[in-house]
Amino acid sequence: MDKLVIRGGRPLHGEVAISGAKNAALPELCAALLTAEPVTLRNVPQLKDVSTMFALMRIMGVQADRTADGLVHLNAGPLHDPKAPYELVKTMRASVLVLGPLLARFGHAVVSLPGGCGIGSRPVDQHIKGLQAMGAEIVVEHGYMNAKIAAGKKRLRGAHITTDMVTVTGTENLMMAATLADGVTVLENAAQEPEVVDLAEMLIKMGAKIQGHGTHRIRIEGVDHLHGCEHQVVADRIEAGTFLCAVAATGGDVLLRFGRADHLDAVIDKLHTLGVHVDVVKDGMRVRSDGAASGELRAQSFRTTEYPGFPTDMQAQFMVLNCVAQGASKVTETIFENRFMHVNELVRLGARIQIDGKVAITEGPAALSGATVMATDLRASACLVIAGLMAEGQTDVERIYHLDRGYDQIEVKLRALGADIERVKA
Ligand code: UD1
């Protein structure tokens, strides 16, 4: 198993290119299942999760090819088996995004239940309820969702669906299914995340009739069939946010090419009050910071909420900043019940953090000192890398397969900015 070895204390300078968003690329790969025509995606990041989605597409019979520069060609003509097996779904929950498209186009699908994951129980009941409202019969047995369109019907039917909570992949699954349903579907309480908007824009290029994406009410008028398209995956706001936090922590001056400041308002607001400069520039954003060692950073309290609020996927990376900034902060996690697993590892590096249920209280400034730490989930891993970049001495981050799921060559990008970081085969 690979690990990252980091010797901290260096500021970051230069330019980094932000990759396409994992959370947009995954549903967009699934959207190719909605048509028999070829689909081309550009700017697809090189990630383990993308490879897993490729494996899933291929076992179902989809032709899927990609080049090193992020170009992907998919062709989902006739499939031999619309089935997503447990072996793949258990490694990546987003596999559940094949359910809506398969059901809408082929009339049946068998998809493993994803089960829990490190950060919480993460059920898919809203996906199931929504599809049932559209006329699907879904039986859960032996760990699988066996879904089919009711006997005598050829297609799903439009429905008025209000989800119990805002769910990103739930919205995406139902929106994709609705594109090929009979009649109009309205999704109330829909997710407004930029990745949902990017998926809607791709579906519209395929011939879907969608309105209201980017709001809490999405209206989809079903069409007879969708055609192929070419689409560029939106830039990854969480990767960009992670680099913002890294530069804030170490100090330096970095241009994030392609980074979308307009997708990170809540994070950038907090960075400004923390004492970091983030400016919108042509083609991206520029971040400048004197770093934690300057004593100029002021800890910021925040609570995670759905977009456009503070993203849960940035909670861990911002928390490490709070640990080294002046003063106390209160971090409240409202989306997932078990998303403080990085805390114990940060404490091993010298951070002072107390957890009480959904709230973590940090007390700063802490002087971090290098140690061996263990990555526990994707964003927790990123926070440990940022901690390592600041810590005195050497930090070894183990179990970085979590990091490889969602960050495109993070150590290569950080090294180009001046960090002392290397991947070591263990
Ligand atoms: C997506 C993102 C993930 C991000 C999360 C929240 C992808 C591939 N992943 O995950 O990176 O952290 O949004 O921004 O886009 N819930 C239910 N029942 C459901 C669906 C969700 O109870 O049927 C709950 C979840 O357990 C969670 C909350 O709703 O507490 C939000 O989850 P959701 O938005 O669905 O997260 P994902 O789409 O899985």
Side-chain angles (χ1 to χ4, degrees), residues 22-24 26-27 93-94 97 119 121-128 165-170 172 191 193 195 237 306 311-313 334-337 339 379:
K22 167 179 93 69
N23 287 354
L26 295 175
R93 293 180 44 80
L97 284 163
I119 62 175
S121 60
R122 301 182 81 177
V124 289
D125 56 307
Q126 303 299 310
H127 304 232
I128 295 177
M165 76 288 294
V166 176
T167 154
V168 177
T169 48
E172 292 166 345
E193 268 66 2
E195 296 77 23
R237 65 194 163 101
E306 54 274 349
T312 176
D313 285 353
T334 74
I335 308 289
F336 294 112
E337 70 263 31
R339 212 170 193 183
R379 306 305 170 184

mmCIF file of all heavy atoms in Angstrom, residues 22-24 26-27 93-94 97 119 121-128 165-170 172 191 193 195 237 306 311-313 334-337 339 379, ligand 1:
data_model
loop_
_atom_site.group_PDB
_atom_site.id
_atom_site.type_symbol
_atom_site.label_atom_id
_atom_site.label_comp_id
_atom_site.label_asym_id
_atom_site.label_seq_id
_atom_site.Cartn_x
_atom_site.Cartn_y
_atom_site.Cartn_z
ATOM 1 N N LYS A 22 -14.790 15.187 -9.821
ATOM 2 C CA LYS A 22 -15.195 13.787 -9.621
ATOM 3 C C LYS A 22 -16.712 13.672 -9.554
ATOM 4 O O LYS A 22 -17.309 12.814 -10.206
ATOM 5 C CB LYS A 22 -14.584 13.261 -8.313
ATOM 6 C CG LYS A 22 -15.156 11.956 -7.831
ATOM 7 C CD LYS A 22 -14.496 11.480 -6.553
ATOM 8 C CE LYS A 22 -15.164 11.889 -5.268
ATOM 9 N NZ LYS A 22 -16.473 11.261 -5.000
ATOM 10 N N ASN A 23 -17.330 14.537 -8.750
ATOM 11 C CA ASN A 23 -18.766 14.382 -8.490
ATOM 12 C C ASN A 23 -19.641 14.829 -9.657
ATOM 13 O O ASN A 23 -20.860 14.650 -9.612
ATOM 14 C CB ASN A 23 -19.165 15.140 -7.217
ATOM 15 C CG ASN A 23 -18.671 14.430 -5.972
ATOM 16 O OD1 ASN A 23 -18.140 13.323 -6.052
ATOM 17 N ND2 ASN A 23 -18.838 15.060 -4.824
ATOM 18 N N ALA A 24 -19.035 15.416 -10.688
ATOM 19 C CA ALA A 24 -19.770 15.665 -11.933
ATOM 20 C C ALA A 24 -19.457 14.544 -12.924
ATOM 21 O O ALA A 24 -20.354 14.031 -13.610
ATOM 22 C CB ALA A 24 -19.401 17.012 -12.527
ATOM 23 N N LEU A 26 -18.735 11.418 -12.470
ATOM 24 C CA LEU A 26 -19.358 10.110 -12.199
ATOM 25 C C LEU A 26 -20.807 10.057 -12.708
ATOM 26 O O LEU A 26 -21.158 9.128 -13.454
ATOM 27 C CB LEU A 26 -19.268 9.760 -10.712
ATOM 28 C CG LEU A 26 -17.837 9.555 -10.186
ATOM 29 C CD1 LEU A 26 -17.836 9.324 -8.680
ATOM 30 C CD2 LEU A 26 -17.139 8.393 -10.889
ATOM 31 N N PRO A 27 -21.692 11.024 -12.345
ATOM 32 C CA PRO A 27 -23.042 10.959 -12.926
ATOM 33 C C PRO A 27 -23.038 11.136 -14.446
ATOM 34 O O PRO A 27 -23.885 10.560 -15.140
ATOM 35 C CB PRO A 27 -23.803 12.103 -12.240
ATOM 36 C CG PRO A 27 -22.768 12.964 -11.618
ATOM 37 C CD PRO A 27 -21.588 12.093 -11.341
ATOM 38 N N ARG A 93 -19.916 4.288 -3.709
ATOM 39 C CA ARG A 93 -21.362 4.463 -3.563
ATOM 40 C C ARG A 93 -22.019 5.086 -4.791
ATOM 41 O O ARG A 93 -23.178 4.837 -5.089
ATOM 42 C CB ARG A 93 -21.655 5.368 -2.383
ATOM 43 C CG ARG A 93 -21.306 4.798 -1.050
ATOM 44 C CD ARG A 93 -21.668 5.807 0.000
ATOM 45 N NE ARG A 93 -22.972 6.374 -0.287
ATOM 46 C CZ ARG A 93 -24.136 5.794 -0.002
ATOM 47 N NH1 ARG A 93 -24.143 4.638 0.615
ATOM 48 N NH2 ARG A 93 -25.264 6.371 -0.314
ATOM 49 N N ALA A 94 -21.249 5.928 -5.507
ATOM 50 C CA ALA A 94 -21.829 6.628 -6.664
ATOM 51 C C ALA A 94 -22.268 5.651 -7.757
ATOM 52 O O ALA A 94 -22.975 6.046 -8.689
ATOM 53 C CB ALA A 94 -20.839 7.641 -7.226
ATOM 54 N N LEU A 97 -25.763 5.485 -9.149
ATOM 55 C CA LEU A 97 -26.238 6.415 -10.190
ATOM 56 C C LEU A 97 -26.567 5.727 -11.511
ATOM 57 O O LEU A 97 -27.110 6.352 -12.413
ATOM 58 C CB LEU A 97 -25.169 7.490 -10.445
ATOM 59 C CG LEU A 97 -25.080 8.585 -9.382
ATOM 60 C CD1 LEU A 97 -23.777 9.343 -9.494
ATOM 61 C CD2 LEU A 97 -26.271 9.528 -9.513
ATOM 62 N N ILE A 119 -18.150 7.455 6.601
ATOM 63 C CA ILE A 119 -18.636 8.731 7.143
ATOM 64 C C ILE A 119 -20.086 8.691 7.597
ATOM 65 O O ILE A 119 -20.602 9.684 8.086
ATOM 66 C CB ILE A 119 -18.416 9.892 6.148
ATOM 67 C CG1 ILE A 119 -19.179 9.686 4.830
ATOM 68 C CG2 ILE A 119 -16.950 10.094 5.876
ATOM 69 C CD1 ILE A 119 -19.074 10.880 3.885
ATOM 70 N N SER A 121 -24.193 6.257 7.591
ATOM 71 C CA SER A 121 -24.975 5.118 7.087
ATOM 72 C C SER A 121 -25.372 5.301 5.621
ATOM 73 O O SER A 121 -25.443 4.356 4.873
ATOM 74 C CB SER A 121 -26.217 4.920 7.954
ATOM 75 O OG SER A 121 -27.016 6.082 7.921
ATOM 76 N N ARG A 122 -25.632 6.490 5.183
ATOM 77 C CA ARG A 122 -25.880 6.844 3.791
ATOM 78 C C ARG A 122 -26.865 5.940 3.057
ATOM 79 O O ARG A 122 -26.516 5.257 2.093
ATOM 80 C CB ARG A 122 -24.551 6.932 3.022
ATOM 81 C CG ARG A 122 -23.629 7.950 3.622
ATOM 82 C CD ARG A 122 -22.352 8.103 2.876
ATOM 83 N NE ARG A 122 -22.450 8.946 1.691
ATOM 84 C CZ ARG A 122 -21.422 9.265 0.925
ATOM 85 N NH1 ARG A 122 -20.237 8.787 1.197
ATOM 86 N NH2 ARG A 122 -21.581 10.033 -0.118
ATOM 87 N N PRO A 123 -28.129 5.930 3.484
ATOM 88 C CA PRO A 123 -29.125 5.110 2.791
ATOM 89 C C PRO A 123 -29.463 5.665 1.397
ATOM 90 O O PRO A 123 -29.087 6.801 1.075
ATOM 91 C CB PRO A 123 -30.358 5.207 3.699
ATOM 92 C CG PRO A 123 -30.160 6.423 4.520
ATOM 93 C CD PRO A 123 -28.686 6.671 4.622
ATOM 94 N N VAL A 124 -30.180 4.872 0.585
ATOM 95 C CA VAL A 124 -30.613 5.332 -0.747
ATOM 96 C C VAL A 124 -32.142 5.276 -0.851
ATOM 97 O O VAL A 124 -32.695 5.132 -1.930
ATOM 98 C CB VAL A 124 -29.948 4.525 -1.892
ATOM 99 C CG1 VAL A 124 -28.471 4.864 -2.010
ATOM 100 C CG2 VAL A 124 -30.155 3.031 -1.708
ATOM 101 N N ASP A 125 -32.814 5.378 0.303
ATOM 102 C CA ASP A 125 -34.276 5.280 0.313
ATOM 103 C C ASP A 125 -34.945 6.340 -0.561
ATOM 104 O O ASP A 125 -35.988 6.093 -1.169
ATOM 105 C CB ASP A 125 -34.802 5.384 1.756
ATOM 106 C CG ASP A 125 -34.334 6.649 2.451
ATOM 107 O OD1 ASP A 125 -33.114 6.899 2.470
ATOM 108 O OD2 ASP A 125 -35.179 7.401 2.957
ATOM 109 N N GLN A 126 -34.352 7.521 -0.648
ATOM 110 C CA GLN A 126 -34.971 8.591 -1.449
ATOM 111 C C GLN A 126 -34.893 8.290 -2.950
ATOM 112 O O GLN A 126 -35.788 8.643 -3.711
ATOM 113 C CB GLN A 126 -34.314 9.948 -1.160
ATOM 114 C CG GLN A 126 -34.366 10.347 0.297
ATOM 115 C CD GLN A 126 -35.795 10.480 0.809
ATOM 116 O OE1 GLN A 126 -36.624 11.149 0.198
ATOM 117 N NE2 GLN A 126 -36.094 9.812 1.918
ATOM 118 N N HIS A 127 -33.818 7.635 -3.359
ATOM 119 C CA HIS A 127 -33.691 7.216 -4.765
ATOM 120 C C HIS A 127 -34.824 6.223 -5.067
ATOM 121 O O HIS A 127 -35.518 6.324 -6.082
ATOM 122 C CB HIS A 127 -32.359 6.502 -5.037
ATOM 123 C CG HIS A 127 -31.127 7.279 -4.674
ATOM 124 N ND1 HIS A 127 -30.091 7.475 -5.561
ATOM 125 C CD2 HIS A 127 -30.737 7.903 -3.531
ATOM 126 C CE1 HIS A 127 -29.120 8.166 -4.978
ATOM 127 N NE2 HIS A 127 -29.496 8.429 -3.742
ATOM 128 N N ILE A 128 -34.992 5.267 -4.158
ATOM 129 C CA ILE A 128 -35.985 4.208 -4.363
ATOM 130 C C ILE A 128 -37.395 4.784 -4.379
ATOM 131 O O ILE A 128 -38.182 4.517 -5.294
ATOM 132 C CB ILE A 128 -35.847 3.116 -3.266
ATOM 133 C CG1 ILE A 128 -34.488 2.407 -3.402
ATOM 134 C CG2 ILE A 128 -36.994 2.113 -3.338
ATOM 135 C CD1 ILE A 128 -34.205 1.371 -2.330
ATOM 136 N N MET A 165 -35.027 14.996 2.248
ATOM 137 C CA MET A 165 -33.875 15.874 2.510
ATOM 138 C C MET A 165 -33.252 16.198 1.156
ATOM 139 O O MET A 165 -33.609 15.597 0.147
ATOM 140 C CB MET A 165 -32.854 15.198 3.445
ATOM 141 C CG MET A 165 -31.983 14.153 2.839
ATOM 142 S SD MET A 165 -32.806 12.597 2.440
ATOM 143 C CE MET A 165 -33.235 11.991 4.046
ATOM 144 N N VAL A 166 -32.344 17.155 1.151
ATOM 145 C CA VAL A 166 -31.652 17.470 -0.100
ATOM 146 C C VAL A 166 -30.605 16.381 -0.329
ATOM 147 O O VAL A 166 -29.747 16.169 0.526
ATOM 148 C CB VAL A 166 -30.974 18.858 -0.010
ATOM 149 C CG1 VAL A 166 -30.185 19.139 -1.281
ATOM 150 C CG2 VAL A 166 -32.019 19.935 0.236
ATOM 151 N N THR A 167 -30.706 15.670 -1.428
ATOM 152 C CA THR A 167 -29.734 14.624 -1.730
ATOM 153 C C THR A 167 -29.165 14.841 -3.130
ATOM 154 O O THR A 167 -29.919 14.989 -4.096
ATOM 155 C CB THR A 167 -30.313 13.194 -1.565
ATOM 156 O OG1 THR A 167 -29.574 12.283 -2.410
ATOM 157 C CG2 THR A 167 -31.787 13.090 -1.898
ATOM 158 N N VAL A 168 -27.838 14.851 -3.194
ATOM 159 C CA VAL A 168 -27.170 15.184 -4.460
ATOM 160 C C VAL A 168 -27.345 14.042 -5.472
ATOM 161 O O VAL A 168 -27.938 14.229 -6.545
ATOM 162 C CB VAL A 168 -25.668 15.478 -4.214
ATOM 163 C CG1 VAL A 168 -24.957 15.745 -5.537
ATOM 164 C CG2 VAL A 168 -25.516 16.659 -3.270
ATOM 165 N N THR A 169 -26.868 12.852 -5.120
ATOM 166 C CA THR A 169 -26.986 11.759 -6.088
ATOM 167 C C THR A 169 -28.453 11.348 -6.265
ATOM 168 O O THR A 169 -28.840 10.885 -7.340
ATOM 169 C CB THR A 169 -26.128 10.530 -5.687
ATOM 170 O OG1 THR A 169 -26.365 10.237 -4.323
ATOM 171 C CG2 THR A 169 -24.656 10.788 -5.910
ATOM 172 N N GLY A 170 -29.266 11.537 -5.219
ATOM 173 C CA GLY A 170 -30.703 11.251 -5.353
ATOM 174 C C GLY A 170 -31.321 12.137 -6.434
ATOM 175 O O GLY A 170 -32.049 11.671 -7.313
ATOM 176 N N GLU A 172 -29.762 13.574 -8.846
ATOM 177 C CA GLU A 172 -29.185 13.219 -10.157
ATOM 178 C C GLU A 172 -29.836 11.957 -10.729
ATOM 179 O O GLU A 172 -30.165 11.894 -11.924
ATOM 180 C CB GLU A 172 -27.668 13.038 -10.006
ATOM 181 C CG GLU A 172 -26.969 14.357 -9.703
ATOM 182 C CD GLU A 172 -25.538 14.220 -9.208
ATOM 183 O OE1 GLU A 172 -25.121 13.107 -8.803
ATOM 184 O OE2 GLU A 172 -24.831 15.230 -9.191
ATOM 185 N N ALA A 191 -31.317 19.124 -5.066
ATOM 186 C CA ALA A 191 -29.977 19.648 -4.767
ATOM 187 C C ALA A 191 -29.611 20.705 -5.804
ATOM 188 O O ALA A 191 -29.946 20.576 -6.980
ATOM 189 C CB ALA A 191 -28.961 18.511 -4.776
ATOM 190 N N GLU A 193 -26.356 21.794 -6.174
ATOM 191 C CA GLU A 193 -24.899 21.743 -6.342
ATOM 192 C C GLU A 193 -24.481 21.978 -7.802
ATOM 193 O O GLU A 193 -25.200 21.577 -8.727
ATOM 194 C CB GLU A 193 -24.401 20.352 -5.909
ATOM 195 C CG GLU A 193 -23.971 20.215 -4.456
ATOM 196 C CD GLU A 193 -25.077 20.366 -3.419
ATOM 197 O OE1 GLU A 193 -26.247 20.552 -3.800
ATOM 198 O OE2 GLU A 193 -24.777 20.305 -2.217
ATOM 199 N N GLU A 195 -22.493 20.447 -9.536
ATOM 200 C CA GLU A 195 -22.368 19.185 -10.277
ATOM 201 C C GLU A 195 -23.729 18.737 -10.823
ATOM 202 O O GLU A 195 -23.813 18.113 -11.886
ATOM 203 C CB GLU A 195 -21.786 18.091 -9.361
ATOM 204 C CG GLU A 195 -20.353 18.362 -8.886
ATOM 205 C CD GLU A 195 -20.252 19.402 -7.769
ATOM 206 O OE1 GLU A 195 -21.244 19.617 -7.040
ATOM 207 O OE2 GLU A 195 -19.167 20.008 -7.634
ATOM 208 N N ARG A 237 -14.639 21.851 -7.586
ATOM 209 C CA ARG A 237 -14.603 22.919 -6.562
ATOM 210 C C ARG A 237 -13.968 22.401 -5.275
ATOM 211 O O ARG A 237 -13.399 23.174 -4.502
ATOM 212 C CB ARG A 237 -16.000 23.492 -6.321
ATOM 213 C CG ARG A 237 -16.977 22.540 -5.728
ATOM 214 C CD ARG A 237 -18.419 23.009 -5.813
ATOM 215 N NE ARG A 237 -19.301 21.873 -5.585
ATOM 216 C CZ ARG A 237 -19.909 21.637 -4.428
ATOM 217 N NH1 ARG A 237 -19.797 22.469 -3.440
ATOM 218 N NH2 ARG A 237 -20.664 20.572 -4.279
ATOM 219 N N GLU A 306 -26.041 21.982 2.733
ATOM 220 C CA GLU A 306 -26.019 21.758 1.298
ATOM 221 C C GLU A 306 -25.689 23.055 0.552
ATOM 222 O O GLU A 306 -25.774 24.140 1.125
ATOM 223 C CB GLU A 306 -27.340 21.151 0.801
ATOM 224 C CG GLU A 306 -28.587 21.888 1.168
ATOM 225 C CD GLU A 306 -29.127 21.499 2.546
ATOM 226 O OE1 GLU A 306 -28.672 20.510 3.151
ATOM 227 O OE2 GLU A 306 -30.007 22.225 3.021
ATOM 228 N N PRO A 311 -19.596 23.409 2.217
ATOM 229 C CA PRO A 311 -19.682 21.984 1.835
ATOM 230 C C PRO A 311 -19.092 21.039 2.883
ATOM 231 O O PRO A 311 -18.000 21.292 3.395
ATOM 232 C CB PRO A 311 -18.873 21.887 0.536
ATOM 233 C CG PRO A 311 -18.170 23.180 0.363
ATOM 234 C CD PRO A 311 -18.667 24.160 1.368
ATOM 235 N N THR A 312 -19.806 19.974 3.163
ATOM 236 C CA THR A 312 -19.263 18.942 4.056
ATOM 237 C C THR A 312 -17.942 18.397 3.511
ATOM 238 O O THR A 312 -17.055 18.025 4.281
ATOM 239 C CB THR A 312 -20.285 17.796 4.260
ATOM 240 O OG1 THR A 312 -19.668 16.790 5.047
ATOM 241 C CG2 THR A 312 -20.787 17.192 2.967
ATOM 242 N N ASP A 313 -17.790 18.397 2.201
ATOM 243 C CA ASP A 313 -16.554 17.884 1.597
ATOM 244 C C ASP A 313 -15.346 18.800 1.823
ATOM 245 O O ASP A 313 -14.231 18.447 1.440
ATOM 246 C CB ASP A 313 -16.743 17.654 0.087
ATOM 247 C CG ASP A 313 -17.576 16.414 -0.210
ATOM 248 O OD1 ASP A 313 -17.897 15.658 0.727
ATOM 249 O OD2 ASP A 313 -17.913 16.199 -1.395
ATOM 250 N N THR A 334 -23.474 18.900 9.756
ATOM 251 C CA THR A 334 -24.910 18.586 9.751
ATOM 252 C C THR A 334 -25.289 17.556 8.693
ATOM 253 O O THR A 334 -26.421 17.089 8.675
ATOM 254 C CB THR A 334 -25.767 19.855 9.494
ATOM 255 O OG1 THR A 334 -25.655 20.225 8.115
ATOM 256 C CG2 THR A 334 -25.351 21.018 10.367
ATOM 257 N N ILE A 335 -24.388 17.192 7.785
ATOM 258 C CA ILE A 335 -24.776 16.315 6.675
ATOM 259 C C ILE A 335 -24.547 14.833 6.998
ATOM 260 O O ILE A 335 -25.413 13.998 6.784
ATOM 261 C CB ILE A 335 -24.012 16.687 5.372
ATOM 262 C CG1 ILE A 335 -24.149 18.181 5.064
ATOM 263 C CG2 ILE A 335 -24.494 15.825 4.200
ATOM 264 C CD1 ILE A 335 -25.501 18.647 4.599
ATOM 265 N N PHE A 336 -23.376 14.518 7.502
ATOM 266 C CA PHE A 336 -23.058 13.113 7.803
ATOM 267 C C PHE A 336 -22.768 12.932 9.291
ATOM 268 O O PHE A 336 -22.172 13.809 9.921
ATOM 269 C CB PHE A 336 -21.864 12.634 6.966
ATOM 270 C CG PHE A 336 -22.158 12.587 5.489
ATOM 271 C CD1 PHE A 336 -21.538 13.457 4.606
ATOM 272 C CD2 PHE A 336 -23.088 11.682 4.982
ATOM 273 C CE1 PHE A 336 -21.828 13.415 3.249
ATOM 274 C CE2 PHE A 336 -23.377 11.638 3.634
ATOM 275 C CZ PHE A 336 -22.747 12.507 2.756
ATOM 276 N N GLU A 337 -23.188 11.781 9.843
ATOM 277 C CA GLU A 337 -23.115 11.625 11.298
ATOM 278 C C GLU A 337 -21.739 11.230 11.812
ATOM 279 O O GLU A 337 -21.459 11.324 12.988
ATOM 280 C CB GLU A 337 -24.178 10.619 11.787
ATOM 281 C CG GLU A 337 -23.941 9.175 11.421
ATOM 282 C CD GLU A 337 -24.717 8.741 10.182
ATOM 283 O OE1 GLU A 337 -24.952 9.573 9.297
ATOM 284 O OE2 GLU A 337 -25.066 7.556 10.088
ATOM 285 N N ARG A 339 -18.425 12.210 10.501
ATOM 286 C CA ARG A 339 -17.427 12.797 9.612
ATOM 287 C C ARG A 339 -16.342 13.556 10.370
ATOM 288 O O ARG A 339 -15.819 14.563 9.897
ATOM 289 C CB ARG A 339 -18.090 13.687 8.566
ATOM 290 C CG ARG A 339 -17.272 13.618 7.293
ATOM 291 C CD ARG A 339 -17.868 14.222 6.095
ATOM 292 N NE ARG A 339 -17.082 13.794 4.933
ATOM 293 C CZ ARG A 339 -17.300 14.181 3.712
ATOM 294 N NH1 ARG A 339 -18.295 14.985 3.434
ATOM 295 N NH2 ARG A 339 -16.533 13.740 2.724
ATOM 296 N N ARG A 379 -11.858 12.973 2.115
ATOM 297 C CA ARG A 379 -11.527 14.360 2.469
ATOM 298 C C ARG A 379 -10.697 14.428 3.745
ATOM 299 O O ARG A 379 -9.916 15.360 3.928
ATOM 300 C CB ARG A 379 -12.804 15.192 2.581
ATOM 301 C CG ARG A 379 -13.692 15.130 1.351
ATOM 302 C CD ARG A 379 -12.996 15.510 0.057
ATOM 303 N NE ARG A 379 -13.818 15.204 -1.126
ATOM 304 C CZ ARG A 379 -13.437 15.357 -2.380
ATOM 305 N NH1 ARG A 379 -12.212 15.765 -2.665
ATOM 306 N NH2 ARG A 379 -14.240 15.061 -3.384
HETATM 307 C C1 UD1 B 1 -22.768 13.543 -2.599
HETATM 308 C C2 UD1 B 1 -21.305 13.643 -2.953
HETATM 309 C C3 UD1 B 1 -20.445 13.658 -1.685
HETATM 310 C C4 UD1 B 1 -20.924 14.747 -0.739
HETATM 311 C C5 UD1 B 1 -22.422 14.647 -0.485
HETATM 312 C C6 UD1 B 1 -22.971 15.826 0.306
HETATM 313 C C7 UD1 B 1 -21.236 12.521 -5.104
HETATM 314 C C8 UD1 B 1 -20.799 11.343 -5.886
HETATM 315 N N1 UD1 B 1 -20.955 12.501 -3.788
HETATM 316 O O1 UD1 B 1 -22.959 12.303 -1.932
HETATM 317 O O2 UD1 B 1 -19.093 13.899 -2.059
HETATM 318 O O3 UD1 B 1 -20.252 14.620 0.501
HETATM 319 O O4 UD1 B 1 -23.132 14.626 -1.755
HETATM 320 O O5 UD1 B 1 -22.667 17.016 -0.327
HETATM 321 O O6 UD1 B 1 -21.773 13.477 -5.638
HETATM 322 N N2 UD1 B 1 -29.699 10.535 2.467
HETATM 323 C C9 UD1 B 1 -30.697 9.685 2.910
HETATM 324 N N3 UD1 B 1 -31.381 8.944 1.973
HETATM 325 C C10 UD1 B 1 -31.101 9.021 0.633
HETATM 326 C C11 UD1 B 1 -30.090 9.882 0.200
HETATM 327 C C12 UD1 B 1 -29.400 10.637 1.141
HETATM 328 O O7 UD1 B 1 -30.961 9.592 4.099
HETATM 329 O O8 UD1 B 1 -31.755 8.302 -0.148
HETATM 330 C C13 UD1 B 1 -28.941 11.372 3.448
HETATM 331 C C14 UD1 B 1 -27.472 10.979 3.553
HETATM 332 O O9 UD1 B 1 -27.280 9.902 4.428
HETATM 333 C C15 UD1 B 1 -26.854 12.284 4.028
HETATM 334 C C16 UD1 B 1 -27.707 13.352 3.323
HETATM 335 O O10 UD1 B 1 -28.923 12.695 2.977
HETATM 336 O O11 UD1 B 1 -27.003 12.413 5.427
HETATM 337 C C17 UD1 B 1 -27.092 13.939 2.077
HETATM 338 O O12 UD1 B 1 -26.577 12.890 1.273
HETATM 339 P P1 UD1 B 1 -26.446 12.987 -0.305
HETATM 340 O O13 UD1 B 1 -26.557 14.413 -0.764
HETATM 341 O O14 UD1 B 1 -27.353 11.990 -0.923
HETATM 342 O O15 UD1 B 1 -24.964 12.499 -0.520
HETATM 343 P P2 UD1 B 1 -24.438 11.712 -1.780
HETATM 344 O O16 UD1 B 1 -25.244 12.118 -2.955
HETATM 345 O O17 UD1 B 1 -24.269 10.265 -1.456
#
